[in-house]
């Protein structure tokens, strides 16, 4: 006979967790995708070149950094170096992901690294940095990573194609680009806990503004390095000796409903 | 740029994606990060997002724009306030984005 009591609430699986964590972030990813799609076509790329760039490069900030240089006829090495510098923050992100993929084959590891994104790394940092890397938890992580990467990739490509093929219908200054920045802010807000986090963000904010005029988007890379350095400096030595260290508690209402 | 140069540019930029995101995961297992650096890496995404976001908000044509007429500052303030009140990122995005677009339309 069925119990009249409500069944206990099921714990979320890693796929559902990925959906739950990255839902708001996908708004950001989608807007960035549309903005980048529009920018590529406005820069003079044919629709198929723009589609090729979206599929092959899959890095909005690097694409947006390279486009003005391509339009101005800059030499290829300058375009490549600029993209490399903008992308360098992912080198730091990927180093952080490395322990989780240690047991995967090299090609699979490279593929996973290549499809990782800002939004995904933020979500992973919030959910997985705390705790062990046991075999069972690694399996959960892998599933979470696969689902979140697939969501990000599909959302980015679809929205980028919308921008490429329908961008001409939007008014010239629709304010859409800033909505993408606003969406990035909402990724950042839940992480602002503790002195090291605030020190990191304050440093990166000031340095990124001061160094904005530097060529090749060097200011972005230097901001990341200095922000991380300040966070390290503000982290108590006892915490530093533990690796991985506990992250600030994830937001209970949104990130960990289980 | 010619069509060939555009495709070469695209392929080169794609290579930078592979190099920066894929390569660190191919480093040999014995190559270990110091514990302190490993701990600090969790702050890299925060710093990266901040460095992308802040210049877009506070700079206008390369100059500081901290005056009240800067709608972007208001939108960021509203997002912060909504986040502090309801701890909901989606609500923060919808309300601040809605206010920003609404005021621009007016």
């Amino acid at each position: 006979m069925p119990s009249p009591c409500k069944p206990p609430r099921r714990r979320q699986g890693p796929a559902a967790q990925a959906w739950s964590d990255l839902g708001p972030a996908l708004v950001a990813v989608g807007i960035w995708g549309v903005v980048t799609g529009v920018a590529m076509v406005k820069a003079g790329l044919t629709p198929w070149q723009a589609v090729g760039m979206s599929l092959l490069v899959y890095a909005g900030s690097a694409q947006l950094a390279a486009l003005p240089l391509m339009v101005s006829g800059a030499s290829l090495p300058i375009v490549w170096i600029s993209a490399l510098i903008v992308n360098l923050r992912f080198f730091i992100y990927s180093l952080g992901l490395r322990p989780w993929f240690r047991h995967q084959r090299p090609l699979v590891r490279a593929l996973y690294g290549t499809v990782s994104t800002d939004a995904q790394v933020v979500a992973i940092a919030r959910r997985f940095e705390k705790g062990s890397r046991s075999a069972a938890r690694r399996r959960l992580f892998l599933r979470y990573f696969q689902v979140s990467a697939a969501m990000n990739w599909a959302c980015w490509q679809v929205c980028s194609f919308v921008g490429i093929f329908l961008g001409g219908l939007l008014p010239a200054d629709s304010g859409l680009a800033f909505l993408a920045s606003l969406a990035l802010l909402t990724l950042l807000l839940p992480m602002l806990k503790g002195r090291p986090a605030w020190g990191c963000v304050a440093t990166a904010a000031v340095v990124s503004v001061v160094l904005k005029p530097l060529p090749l988007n060097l200011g972005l890379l230097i901001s990341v390095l200095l922000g991380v350095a300040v966070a390290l400096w503000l982290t108590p030595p006892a915490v530093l000796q533990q690796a991985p260290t506990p992250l600030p508690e994830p937001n209970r209402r949104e990130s960990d409903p289980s | 740029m010619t069509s060939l140069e555009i495709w070469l540019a695209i392929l080169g930029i794609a290579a930078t994606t592979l190099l920066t995101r894929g390569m660190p995961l191919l480093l040999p297992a014995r190559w270990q990060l110091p514990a302190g650096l490993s701990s600090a890496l969790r702050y890299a995404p925060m710093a990266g997002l901040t460095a992308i976001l802040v210049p877009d908000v506070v700079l206008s044509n390369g100059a500081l724009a901290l005056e009240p007429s800067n709608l972007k500052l208001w939108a960021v303030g509203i997002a912060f306030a909504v986040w502090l009140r309801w701890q909901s990122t989606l609500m923060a995005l919808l309300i601040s984005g809605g206010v920003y677009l609404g005021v621009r339309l007016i």
Side-chain angles (χ1 to χ4, degrees), chain B residues 15-65:
Chain B
T16 68
T17 301
L18 190 63
L19 196 72
T20 51
R21 301 190 200 189
M23 277 292 287
L25 295 170
L26 295 177
L27 292 170
R30 64 178 177 279
W31 193 82
Q32 294 291 332
L33 282 175
L37 183 56
S38 173
S39 302
L41 282 180
R42 66 199 169 110
Y43 294 105
M46 282 184 225
L49 290 179
T50 306
I52 293 170
L53 170 73
V54 173
D56 185 33
V57 175
V58 304
L59 294 178
S60 174
N61 297 321
L64 263 185

Side-chain angles (χ1 to χ4, degrees), chain A residues 19-226:
Chain A
W19 277 104
S20 160
D21 290 353
L22 275 135
L26 285 187
V27 178
V29 172
I31 295 171
W32 268 111
V34 173
V35 168
T36 307
V38 173
M40 286 189 287
V41 177
K42 299 263 190 225
L45 269 61
T46 66
W48 294 112
Q49 285 169 339
V51 166
M53 189 176 205
S54 185
L55 289 172
L56 292 171
V57 175
Y58 188 46
S61 51
Q63 288 170 239
L64 290 174
L67 284 171
L69 296 171
M70 291 166 71
V71 171
S72 67
S75 66
L76 286 175
I78 293 291
V79 173
W80 295 333
I81 290 169
S82 180
L84 179 68
I85 288 171
V86 175
N87 262 334
L88 268 181
R89 70 184 188 283
F90 284 102
F91 191 88
I92 302 174
Y93 297 172
S94 288
L95 283 178
L97 292 175
R98 209 166 137 247
W100 292 100
F101 294 125
R102 196 168 286 159
H103 302 271
Q104 301 293 323
R105 283 174 297 159
L107 265 180
V108 176
R109 288 203 301 264
L111 174 69
Y112 285 156
T114 305
V115 295
S116 63
T117 64
D118 288 291
Q120 194 189 12
V121 171
V122 169
I124 285 169
R126 287 170 64 195
R127 188 172 282 278
F128 281 95
E129 201 75 15
K130 193 173 179 179
S132 72
R133 292 197 190 104
S134 63
R137 199 146 183 275
R138 273 204 313 273
R139 279 194 296 276
L140 290 179
F141 174 87
L142 195 60
R143 184 79 184 125
Y144 183 96
F145 185 91
Q146 289 166 338
V147 172
S148 56
M151 284 162 56
N152 255 289
W153 189 88
C155 179
W156 174 263
Q157 300 299 354
V158 168
C159 293
S160 198
F161 295 167
V162 167
I164 291 166
F165 291 106
L166 302 177
L169 303 176
L170 289 171
D173 184 18
S174 58
L176 207 61
F178 181 64
L179 280 195
S181 297
L182 218 43
L184 289 182
L185 172 69
T186 62
L187 291 178
L188 188 63
L189 288 173
M191 306 190 84
L192 295 177
K193 286 172 187 167
R195 284 179 67 215
W198 279 104
C200 168
V201 165
T203 305
V206 172
V207 175
S208 65
V209 171
V210 172
L211 299 186
K212 182 69 180 169
L214 284 186
L216 306 175
N217 283 300
L218 267 172
L220 178 68
L221 178 66
I222 296 173
S223 308
V224 173
L225 292 175
L226 288 181

